[in-house]
Amino acid sequence: MLPPDTAPPMPTPAAGSAGLLGGLTGRSVAMAVALAVVVAALLNPLFMPPFPVVLGRTLFLAMVLLLAFHAAGRLPVHRLPGWMPRWLLQLLAIVLAAPLATACIYLLYAGGNVLALFDNPGVVAGFSWIAGTGLVLGLVLALGALFRERDAQARNLALQFALERETLKRQAADARLALLQSQVEPHFLFNTLANVQALVESGSPRAGPVLQTLTEYLRAAMPGLRDAQPTLGDELARVRAYLSLMEMRMPDRLRWQVQADPALAGLRFPPMALLTLVENAVRHGIDPSEEGGEVQVLATARPDGGLQLTVQDSGVGMDGAGSAPTVDGAASSPPAGGTGLANLRARLQAMYGDAARLTLTEPHPHGLRAEIRLPPPDARSGVTPLP
């Protein structure tokens, strides 16, 4: 008799015939023994031999059926006829093993004399009871085991599909993030070169030193933008270098300060997220203003463990830059230089979903205040990792 959990694992061609019985478990053997004891107890009143003899016969039959079912399930696929599914082979193994194993039991009892076996009506009746019971229970339990095996395979297949779907979604998000990142670098480079071009066209003597400093800055900063583990400290270093460079260009009109808790420097941070805001503050806030202004950068930890980055300038503001009124989130129209902001919003959305937020407000009396709020590190699980 077969226990209900005898569903064999999927065989592999490499397993070969040597592994036909390799997957038997102690639990399946123990359950086969338990069923044999129950069947022997039920059939014992019908037999003349004592209970131990009947139990020995049912135990032998149960082990044979278990081994036959298991061996048929482990047979390599290439050894099966093309028209025969594996489950059919396992059921045929039960159908053949039940009478053959019972016949072996009674041939041993009759000393190998087949004629003596069939001349005794009591022996024939015992053979019929044991073989019939083993056949019926074996088929029922085998069908149950096959059904559970098929159900387990279906669940495994569904899990594999779900895993592949998540992998594809992750790869698509990573590809989109890489595309957005690739757009940031040339955007920053072209905007910075435009600032230097203004100096060159005006014939300023600072054009040469500024251009030289810019070259050195880009040579040092650009490789860091592709760092696989960017940190807030790296980003703040780039922001300070950029503001120093712009201060060389506008020594009388630009003032700046960067304040950040040193404990936050090691936190992972999307590259150029803060630099984009600083660049916009200089280009669209301070540069159009005749009297110039100040850029303040502040990095703080939020009470919930997240990050808050603030870039505020005292420049002309969004109205002065000829752009839309106050912007809050992606629903509003971006101001001048909106390519960088739109790209930044898309990157934050790809990395953190709705857990991150970028807001723009106009402080009194003029200027622009940009804030980035990032979720705590333990709330970023399940979102796309930083590039």
Side-chain angles (χ1 to χ4, degrees):
M1 292 69 177
L2 295 172
D5 64 337
T6 51
M10 288 297 291
T12 60
S17 57
L20 289 179
L21 306 179
L24 274 179
T25 64
R27 184 183 179 189
S28 62
V29 174
M31 294 193 67
V33 170
L35 286 174
V37 172
V38 172
V39 171
L42 294 176
L43 294 180
N44 187 56
L46 303 177
F47 286 77
M48 293 181 62
F51 176 76
V53 175
V54 178
L55 176 61
R57 295 172 183 176
T58 57
L59 279 175
F60 178 78
L61 180 58
M63 291 299 106
V64 170
L65 293 182
L66 175 63
L67 295 177
F69 179 81
H70 189 77
R74 301 278 296 179
L75 197 67
V77 177
H78 66 272
R79 295 189 179 182
L80 297 177
W83 53 268
M84 178 179 286
R86 187 183 303 280
W87 64 267
L88 180 57
L89 177 65
Q90 291 178 277
L91 295 181
L92 288 177
I94 297 292
V95 171
L96 293 177
L100 289 178
T102 309
C104 290
I105 294 172
Y106 280 91
L107 282 175
L108 183 63
Y109 170 78
N113 190 338
V114 178
L115 295 179
L117 178 66
F118 287 100
D119 286 342
N120 188 335
V123 171
V124 173
F127 171 86
S128 302
W129 272 105
I130 292 181
T133 304
L135 178 62
V136 172
L137 290 181
L139 287 176
V140 171
L141 294 177
L143 288 172
L146 290 171
F147 175 79
R148 285 188 292 276
E149 177 188 0
R150 180 64 59 89
D151 185 61
Q153 291 176 354
R155 289 197 301 270
N156 289 336
L157 193 60
L159 289 176
Q160 289 180 1
F161 284 153
L163 181 60
E164 291 177 0
R165 184 171 60 252
E166 290 301 319
T167 301
L168 291 175
K169 288 174 60 178
R170 185 67 168 268
Q171 290 175 348
D174 290 345
R176 180 169 179 267
L177 203 54
L179 176 62
L180 292 170
Q181 178 67 20
S182 66
Q183 295 172 349
V184 170
E185 297 171 15
H187 180 71
F188 164 74
L189 178 61
F190 293 147
N191 284 349
T192 307
L193 288 176
N195 290 328
V196 178
Q197 182 182 5
L199 286 178
V200 174
E201 291 177 350
S202 64
S204 171
R206 296 193 304 275
V210 169
L211 183 58
Q212 182 179 357
T213 305
L214 172 64
T215 302
E216 295 173 354
Y217 165 67
L218 293 178
R219 184 179 293 116
M222 293 302 282
L225 299 180
R226 299 185 177 91
D227 188 355
Q229 300 289 333
T231 64
L232 178 61
D234 299 331
E235 183 74 357
L236 290 174
R238 283 191 287 267
V239 166
R240 291 188 178 94
Y242 175 78
L243 288 172
S244 298
L245 180 65
M246 292 298 103
E247 189 178 21
M248 291 182 61
R249 179 192 156 215
M250 300 179 288
D252 300 329
R253 296 195 302 123
L254 174 63
R255 304 178 301 280
W256 61 272
Q257 58 176 319
V258 176
Q259 297 179 354
D261 185 349
L264 305 178
L267 297 180
R268 296 185 64 184
F269 190 78
M272 298 200 69
L274 194 57
L275 189 57
T276 297
L277 299 181
V278 173
E279 178 198 6
N280 275 355
V282 172
R283 185 183 182 194
H284 303 294
I286 305 300
D287 212 8
S289 174
E290 294 182 357
E291 62 270 19
E294 182 177 11
V295 176
Q296 295 178 325
V297 180
L298 180 63
T300 58
R302 296 169 55 196
D304 62 355
L307 270 178
Q308 178 164 324
L309 295 309
T310 303
V311 177
Q312 180 169 333
D313 68 79
S314 58
V316 298
M318 287 184 287
D319 290 339
S323 60
T326 301
V327 177
D328 185 1
S332 300
S333 302
T339 300
L341 291 177
N343 185 291
L344 176 56
R345 286 195 180 93
R347 285 198 294 149
L348 293 178
Q349 177 68 29
M351 293 176 185
Y352 308 110
D354 295 334
R357 187 172 178 81
L358 168 63
T359 59
L360 301 180
T361 56
E362 289 185 294
H364 181 77
H366 50 76
L368 185 66
R369 177 186 177 91
E371 288 185 351
I372 295 178
R373 294 186 178 185
L374 300 183
D378 57 354
R380 299 178 189 177
S381 59
V383 299
T384 302
L386 297 175

